[in-house]
Amino acid sequence: MLGGFPFLKICLSLFCSRVTENAKNSLASLKRENPRLEPTLAIIQAHNDQSIQETNKNFAKEVGLRVIHICLPEGSTKNEIVGEILRLNEDPNVQGLALDLPESLYSSKILNAVKPEKDVDGLSSVNLGRLVHGDDCLVPPTVCAVMELLGDIGGKKVLLVGVRGAEAAALQSVLQRQGATVLSCHCKAPQLQSELGDADTVVFGSAKPSDVPASWIKPGATVIYGAHDLLSEKHSCGQQNDPAAEKTVGSLAVAMRMQNMVKNLERWIWSQKHRKWDFHRLKLQPLSPVPSDIEISRAQSPKAVDVLAKEIGLLTDEIEIYGQTKAKVRLSLLERLKDQPDGKYVLVAGITPTPLGEGKSTVTVGLVQALTAHLNINSFACLRQPSQGPTFGVKGGAAGGGYAQVIPMEEFNLHLTGDIHAITAANNLLAAAIDARILHENSQSDKSLYNRLVPVVNGVRGFSPIQLARLRRLGINKTDPGTLTEEEISKFARLDIDPSTITWQRVVDTNDRFLRKITVGQGNTEKGFARQAQFDIAVASEIMAILALTTSLQDMKERLGRVVVANDKKGQPVTAEDLGVTGALAVLMKDAIKPTLMQTLEGTPVFVHAGPFANIAHGSSSVLADKIALKLVGEKGFVVTEAGFGADIGMEKFFNIKCRASGLVPSVVVLVATVRALKMHGGGPNVTAGAPLKKEYTEENLQLVADGCCNLQKQIQIAQLFGVPVVVALNVFKTDSPAEIDLVCKIAKESGAFDAVPCNHWSAGGKGALKLAQAVEKAVNQKNSFKYLYNLELPIAEKIRIIAQKVYGAQDIELSPVAQSQVDRYTQQGFGNLPICMAKTHLSLSHQPERKGVPTGFILPISDVRASIGAGFIYPLVGTMSTMPGLPTRSCFYDIDLDPVTEEVKGLF
């Protein structure tokens, strides 16, 4: 009975128990499949009723959900509520959002502020639209509760009284879909009596108006109270003094809300694994003949980087915007997406190149443009940041080329976001610390040195954390500076660096041949402690290699600390940690560790991060960029990255060094070849940068191509050593004949490549790499038995020998006395278990650049062996390696200029 009128009394405990149990079981299953899942429902409430809060908490606890209540004060404005909603929309730790507000606040402005994918109450216009159209969506909890109570409603007449807004639309749609005839009526409407007398079921929006007599309601009719917010329902029903009626919908609606939250979680988990980007392609209109790279770049209008970030699933607090087209991506994303399956990992490598290069970067860019912009497959390119030195020297830019490039190319090729400047600062701080330490140790007594290293500050003397760490490494377990013995003071204060063993050089990001050998310390203030030194180009710094291989801030800090800069006079390594500079280096590198987001000509995403040398280092972009990209593309997506030089150098290092550091397993290798390079390997004349090509390269010559395919076959075999499928991408030039193209593809497939396809991305953009994209998509489903080439526990010389014989085709290796001495030293110092990074010419499989094709029977000479302990590899030198390029007679800078009116950069290529 309610107010003296007969109504249907329904016990809800059974309904609530069933719904709660189903939700609990579903959530438990999700947690078993996703052990780190911490589902959180946020509820915004703008009233002081604690009972509603308790009801939500109790049901959530029973199901296994975490609920956080945001309790806004009564009288909060719509703008204040919307502000809180927008904050929770961007919180990656909140998967569902619900509202408990006074009825007057349920406006479209508030309801539509909730992200549809977090809308547990299903009241946003997007979710209601899906419901009305019969699409998959969440049904509002109150509507679910009403339908649960009504049971079979087919053929019945249902009257909605005082049900308004989003709830009315949802309820009417669901009732009609179940076969009911639905009428709606205002509680003060003159026809209310006749409508009530004719309805089989009546649903009141809150409580039955007090002035409605029982006689108006059809005998035997079912009456439901369906307040869309629990507050108005509780107060309205409470006024009728009927506890049974008070429970009519409330508790069941809360149970349904928790069920909706679990359903939302299922969708969220699925979307994290299979989410298609809401991607908008930038249209290309390729011209013929193809304009210069800078003209092509300028003709395209890139997306704003925050728009691109949103398209690929980045949150607003996960990016740091630099201008209009670049943004740093924060590493916190890896924590948010830690349960997201990785996408497919594709490596672009190449055959032994001509001095002109064979287009690995353009293939990388063209492939992701084809995958994302044309096949609608999530994909990311991960590229190295180019050094500014060659940009102003002879090589020019490195953003790809033609209609397959990263834009804006001038920003890509110049300062970008300052990572190389940060590396330069960190590198040179360490170099300065070395020389300063030698000076101070040579000019002070033990006591004086110790007093300056551990000074009294504000009457207190104490060790810094990095000094305490050094004490522990020395076996001195003391924390009070006043308790050290004279022997311990000397041991702590003196590094005794042997200047002749210093391997750490200063760097600058400019090609400057006159810095290849210098003398430092010639000023009077340096007290005669001069020594010979040199500058390297900035990207040759070990800190660049560390940046490329690190997996986190903590890992980077540890690697920086392990950097060996010299030996002491007893032959033991001296590290950056010993110098006390590790923390300062990490501070200088704290922003550089974040990958930079850019885009291709067709608007597909690109990470540009790190650019280590491909000879004395491993020549690949960063592990972190790859890891973040693999999470962003999702399980069905692709991440395409590039290895420097030919497969014999870049790919081998990628697998043996980078993959060991990252733990990632490549899915397929794309091996880039050109008819031009194959003709060179088949006996064609020398190819020289800046000189016109001989007629052998511009006219059809099938014999030269066939003879040169031996190098392609060898590079395919090298990839097969690692157990990874190979797709050959033939980068087509306008001088290549159809017969030459067909011949290369035929030989490649006969030699073990999964597929071989011609590519025209340079002239046509992603459309010209569609066949390559389709081949790669098929190849990733092939059997992959990835393995490393050698065991790290093998002796250093044996690891070198395995690479020389199995990859290069050498008969054996020959270590010079200097190299052998270094091998012995590194082994004695405990560095023998590091991987090998061969520093060898990229212009031949052998150590002699003029030997093309597939040289055999040669002895590989190892002139020296050095180590990058922080980066984590030993690098043998095959011949001499220059780490500071020089400027040519006709440098690129002659063509580079700035328009003072438009501020446009001219002359980059």
Side-chain angles (χ1 to χ4, degrees):
M1 294 292 293
L2 180 61
F5 296 99
F7 289 90
L8 178 66
K9 291 186 176 181
I10 303 175
C11 178
L12 298 181
S13 60
L14 187 60
F15 288 122
C16 290
S17 296
R18 187 178 75 241
V19 172
T20 304
E21 189 65 24
N22 288 341
K24 179 180 178 180
N25 292 338
S26 297
L27 182 58
S29 177
L30 289 177
K31 286 184 174 180
R32 281 194 296 273
E33 295 170 7
N34 305 273
R36 293 190 289 188
L37 181 66
E38 296 176 4
T40 300
L41 169 64
I43 301 176
I44 297 176
Q45 103 182 22
H47 54 75
N48 296 323
D49 194 312
Q50 298 301 313
S51 62
I52 298 172
Q53 200 177 117
E54 286 304 312
T55 304
N56 277 299
K57 283 183 178 178
N58 290 338
F59 274 97
K61 184 178 180 181
E62 192 171 344
V63 171
L65 292 167
R66 175 174 174 258
V67 169
I68 53 174
H69 274 85
I70 292 83
C71 298
L72 301 179
E74 274 192 84
S76 294
T77 66
K78 290 181 180 180
N79 286 340
E80 288 170 339
I81 295 169
V82 168
E84 197 62 39
I85 290 171
L86 295 178
R87 182 185 70 80
L88 291 167
N89 280 344
E90 299 303 319
D91 188 340
N93 298 314
V94 171
Q95 292 84 32
L97 181 54
L99 305 173
D100 281 340
L101 308 173
E103 188 171 0
S104 61
L105 290 175
Y106 279 94
S107 66
S108 59
K109 178 179 179 178
I110 288 179
L111 295 176
N112 289 326
V114 180
K115 266 189 177 178
E117 57 267 34
K118 291 192 177 186
D119 183 13
V120 170
D121 286 340
L123 295 175
S124 67
S125 295
V126 172
N127 276 328
L128 287 176
R130 290 172 182 160
L131 178 64
V132 170
H133 287 94
D135 298 333
D136 182 44
C137 65
L138 291 179
V139 178
T142 304
V143 175
C144 289
V146 169
M147 298 306 296
E148 187 78 26
L149 293 174
L150 291 178
D152 184 10
I153 203 72
K156 294 183 179 179
K157 185 175 181 179
V158 179
L159 178 65
L160 308 183
V161 181
V163 183
R164 298 186 295 275
E167 206 103 63
L171 186 54
Q172 188 166 340
S173 176
V174 173
L175 286 167
Q176 287 174 339
R177 196 169 295 127
Q178 295 298 318
T181 301
V182 185
L183 296 174
S184 186
C185 187
H186 191 275
C187 58
K188 298 294 184 182
Q191 72 273 25
L192 177 61
Q193 180 177 358
S194 61
E195 297 287 7
L196 285 171
D198 196 34
D200 302 308
T201 297
V202 180
V203 179
F204 285 102
S206 52
K208 180 185 72 58
S210 57
D211 57 351
V212 175
S215 58
W216 286 13
I217 297 175
K218 180 180 179 178
T222 302
V223 178
I224 300 290
Y225 296 111
H228 74 271
D229 68 275
L230 303 179
L231 183 66
S232 65
E233 178 201 44
K234 182 180 190 304
H235 287 176
S236 300
C237 293
Q239 292 167 2
Q240 303 300 320
N241 300 315
D242 190 326
E246 185 177 324
K247 295 180 181 178
T248 303
V249 168
S251 55
L252 183 55
V254 176
M256 292 294 187
R257 172 182 276 175
M258 301 307 156
Q259 180 173 268
N260 271 6
M261 175 62 186
V262 175
K263 289 179 180 177
N264 211 43
L265 272 172
E266 291 172 346
R267 294 174 182 182
W268 179 80
I269 291 168
W270 188 92
S271 72
Q272 293 299 300
K273 293 180 180 178
H274 308 287
R275 189 177 70 86
K276 282 281 186 186
W277 291 341
D278 184 18
F279 177 80
H280 296 86
R281 175 166 68 100
L282 297 180
K283 291 185 179 180
L284 277 184
Q285 294 180 324
L287 301 176
S288 182
V290 176
S292 69
D293 290 349
I294 190 74
E295 288 174 316
I296 294 171
S297 176
R298 285 273 160 71
Q300 185 63 285
S301 297
K303 304 172 189 175
V305 72
D306 59 330
V307 172
L308 173 64
K310 187 175 182 181
E311 286 181 353
I312 63 175
L314 287 164
L315 305 181
T316 51
D317 65 350
E318 290 173 340
I319 59 171
E320 298 169 2
I321 295 175
Y322 285 64
Q324 296 297 313
T325 55
K326 308 184 296 290
K328 286 284 194 183
V329 175
R330 293 176 178 161
L331 307 190
S332 58
L333 178 143
L334 286 171
E335 176 62 23
R336 175 171 70 88
L337 298 181
K338 60 189 176 184
D339 295 319
Q340 165 88 307
D342 287 345
K344 312 300 181 186
Y345 198 28
V346 180
L347 174 65
V348 176
I351 65 170
T352 304
T354 68
L356 306 178
E358 310 318 307
K360 295 191 303 296
S361 296
T362 61
V363 169
T364 300
V365 174
L367 176 54
V368 295
Q369 287 181 178
L371 285 165
T372 304
H374 295 271
L375 296 181
N376 197 29
I377 298 171
N378 297 354
S379 73
F380 236 107
C382 292
L383 299 177
R384 289 182 291 170
Q385 179 184 354
S387 166
Q388 284 181 179
T391 299
F392 292 99
V394 68
K395 184 177 181 290
Y403 288 100
Q405 58 172 300
V406 181
I407 58 171
M409 70 163 290
E410 62 268 36
E411 295 189 24
F412 178 92
N413 286 309
L414 297 177
H415 301 280
L416 200 63
T417 48
D419 293 356
I420 293 180
H421 300 316
I423 288 165
T424 301
N427 183 100
N428 293 344
L429 174 62
L430 181 51
I434 296 166
D435 286 317
R437 188 59 176 259
I438 293 172
L439 170 69
H440 295 311
E441 287 190 23
N442 286 343
S443 58
Q444 298 179 56
S445 66
D446 287 353
K447 183 177 179 181
S448 177
L449 188 64
Y450 183 64
N451 287 339
R452 283 178 170 82
L453 286 171
V454 193
V456 177
V457 179
N458 296 326
V460 179
R461 191 180 193 189
F463 294 113
S464 69
I466 200 166
Q467 289 176 326
L468 288 169
R470 173 164 166 74
L471 286 169
R472 288 192 294 271
R473 289 196 307 277
L474 293 171
I476 303 171
N477 296 313
K478 296 179 180 179
T479 57
D480 183 352
T483 61
L484 267 65
T485 66
E486 288 187 6
E487 182 183 354
E488 289 170 339
I489 287 173
S490 178
K491 195 174 180 183
F492 168 79
R494 294 202 175 275
L495 298 180
D496 278 332
I497 295 172
D498 180 352
S500 67
T501 66
I502 294 174
T503 55
W504 195 262
Q505 309 298 345
R506 289 166 173 82
V507 299
V508 64
D509 198 26
T510 304
N511 289 12
D512 191 344
R513 65 176 69 246
F514 282 87
L515 294 178
R516 289 172 178 168
K517 184 159 287 193
I518 61 172
T519 303
V520 297
Q522 290 188 329
N524 292 333
T525 53
E526 279 59 69
K527 303 176 183 179
F529 296 115
R531 67 180 182 87
Q532 278 203 340
Q534 68 184 58
F535 269 80
D536 295 336
I537 197 161
V539 293
S541 171
E542 184 178 345
I543 294 179
M544 176 63 90
I546 288 172
L547 178 66
L549 291 171
T550 194
T551 56
S552 66
L553 264 172
Q554 182 62 35
D555 179 56
M556 181 178 73
K557 190 174 175 182
E558 291 171 2
R559 286 175 180 270
L560 289 169
R562 291 198 297 267
V563 166
V564 173
V565 299
N567 293 327
D568 64 21
K569 291 170 183 176
K570 295 178 182 177
Q572 293 306 304
V574 177
T575 66
E577 186 80 1
D578 293 324
L579 284 159
V581 74
T582 305
L585 299 181
V587 167
L588 288 170
M589 293 294 294
K590 71 180 181 65
D591 292 318
I593 196 173
K594 303 165 191 171
T596 298
L597 176 66
M598 294 188 75
Q599 62 193 285
T600 69
L601 279 166
E602 298 192 60
T604 67
V606 178
F607 274 142
V608 185
H609 200 217
F613 253 29
N615 49 25
I616 66 166
H618 61 290
S620 299
S621 59
S622 77
V623 165
L624 279 170
D626 292 355
K627 281 180 171 284
I628 292 173
L630 285 164
K631 294 298 183 186
L632 285 171
V633 298
E635 192 171 17
K636 303 293 185 182
F638 289 77
V639 171
V640 184
T641 190
E642 178 190 340
F645 296 157
D648 56 305
I649 299 178
M651 183 184 70
E652 181 272 314
K653 293 178 184 181
F654 184 95
F655 289 153
N656 283 319
I657 297 174
K658 185 176 180 180
C659 288
R660 287 185 200 268
S662 68
L664 299 173
V665 176
S667 308
V668 64
V669 169
V670 172
L671 191 64
V672 179
T674 62
V675 168
R676 177 181 67 196
L678 293 172
K679 286 181 175 179
M680 179 190 72
H681 288 296
N686 288 338
V687 176
T688 306
L693 289 171
K694 302 286 179 26
K695 65 180 179 63
E696 287 86 350
Y697 296 104
T698 58
E699 298 175 0
E700 182 176 282
N701 191 323
L702 295 177
Q703 189 59 53
L704 270 184
V705 173
D707 291 345
C709 277
C710 61
N711 187 271
L712 174 60
Q713 292 169 314
K714 172 65 175 175
Q715 303 287 7
I716 292 171
Q717 291 166 9
I718 293 169
Q720 291 172 335
L721 287 173
F722 296 92
V724 183
V726 179
V727 172
V728 171
L730 184 62
N731 196 10
V732 174
F733 295 120
K734 62 182 179 181
T735 53
D736 301 342
S737 74
E740 289 173 329
I741 293 169
D742 290 343
L743 178 61
V744 174
C745 293
K746 176 176 177 289
I747 292 174
K749 285 186 270 192
E750 290 173 351
S751 302
F754 171 78
D755 204 349
V757 292
C759 304
N760 296 287
H761 48 274
W762 183 81
S763 59
K767 188 176 179 181
L770 272 173
K771 288 183 179 178
L772 174 62
Q774 290 160 346
V776 167
E777 192 178 6
K778 292 175 184 175
V780 296
N781 296 317
Q782 297 301 298
K783 181 182 178 184
N784 186 325
S785 52
F786 176 72
K787 57 184 178 294
Y788 300 119
L789 187 63
Y790 51 80
N791 190 311
L792 290 180
E793 280 66 44
L794 290 172
I796 292 174
E798 185 58 27
K799 287 182 281 194
I800 297 171
R801 182 174 287 107
I802 289 172
I803 295 171
Q805 292 178 336
K806 291 190 175 181
V807 177
Y808 307 152
Q811 180 179 325
D812 205 351
I813 62 171
E814 182 177 63
L815 273 67
S816 71
V818 172
Q820 186 61 61
S821 173
Q822 287 292 81
V823 167
D824 295 340
R825 181 187 297 275
Y826 293 138
T827 303
Q828 179 267 324
Q829 291 177 340
F831 304 136
N833 288 347
L834 293 175
I836 302 299
C837 181
M838 299 291 287
K840 179 187 78 70
T841 178
H842 61 291
L843 297 174
S844 172
L845 284 163
S846 74
H847 57 290
Q848 298 167 301
E850 68 278 5
R851 296 189 68 177
K852 306 301 181 183
V854 183
T856 57
F858 59 91
I859 304 296
L860 192 73
I862 310 299
S863 59
D864 198 358
V865 176
R866 299 176 189 169
S868 291
I869 304 304
F873 52 74
I874 303 288
Y875 62 98
L877 301 182
V878 183
T880 58
M881 288 290 140
S882 173
T883 51
M884 171 55 81
L887 291 172
T889 305
R890 182 63 162 78
S891 298
C892 294
F893 61 67
Y894 281 99
D895 303 307
I896 296 172
D897 199 1
L898 181 71
D899 186 315
V901 177
T902 64
E903 297 186 12
E904 284 191 345
V905 176
K906 300 177 179 179
L908 282 179
F909 69 95

